[in-house]
Amino acid sequence: MNKMANNPGRLVCLCNHVTAQEIVNVLKAGAFTVYDVQQFTSAGTGCSRCVREIEAIVQHYHSTAKKDPQLRINFESES
Ligand code: FES
């Protein structure tokens, strides 16, 4: 069952108040790994209880989502 599809606004990371949709958004923008998601959203950087769910979302995204290059953004700081 895909919990994310049922409620994209559901909080995945309670410590840092990060929703499933926010995780999907950074994946759409070019994040690729759980580590990337952690860097861009802070999800999973507190108690780590949500890391397995973040991993599931990342795996689900990569196995099903179609990439849209137009959604990519540059996370690197401008200099
Ligand atoms: S619930 Fe995500 S780090 Fe604690």
Side-chain angles (χ1 to χ4, degrees), residues 1-29:
M1 178 187 308
N2 181 2
K3 289 191 264 181
M4 184 173 56
N6 294 337
N7 186 3
R10 173 180 50 80
L11 275 178
V12 172
C13 180
L14 299 178
C15 290
N16 294 306
H17 305 98
V18 180
T19 65
Q21 186 63 59
E22 290 172 303
I23 293 170
V24 170
N25 287 346
V26 296
L27 291 167
K28 286 180 178 178

Side-chain angles (χ1 to χ4, degrees), residues 12-73:
V12 172
C13 180
L14 299 178
C15 290
N16 294 306
H17 305 98
V18 180
T19 65
Q21 186 63 59
E22 290 172 303
I23 293 170
V24 170
N25 287 346
V26 296
L27 291 167
K28 286 180 178 178
F32 193 78
T33 65
V34 171
Y35 178 78
D36 293 339
V37 171
Q38 290 175 314
Q39 294 301 302
F40 299 133
T41 67
S42 297
T45 61
C47 71
S48 301
R49 186 176 56 191
C50 61
V51 170
R52 291 188 73 178
E53 188 167 356
I54 296 168
E55 289 172 348
I57 293 170
V58 169
Q59 288 180 351
H60 177 75
Y61 177 81
H62 289 309
S63 66
T64 61
K66 294 181 179 173
K67 307 295 186 296
D68 183 350
Q70 294 183 353
L71 292 173
R72 294 183 70 87
I73 60 174

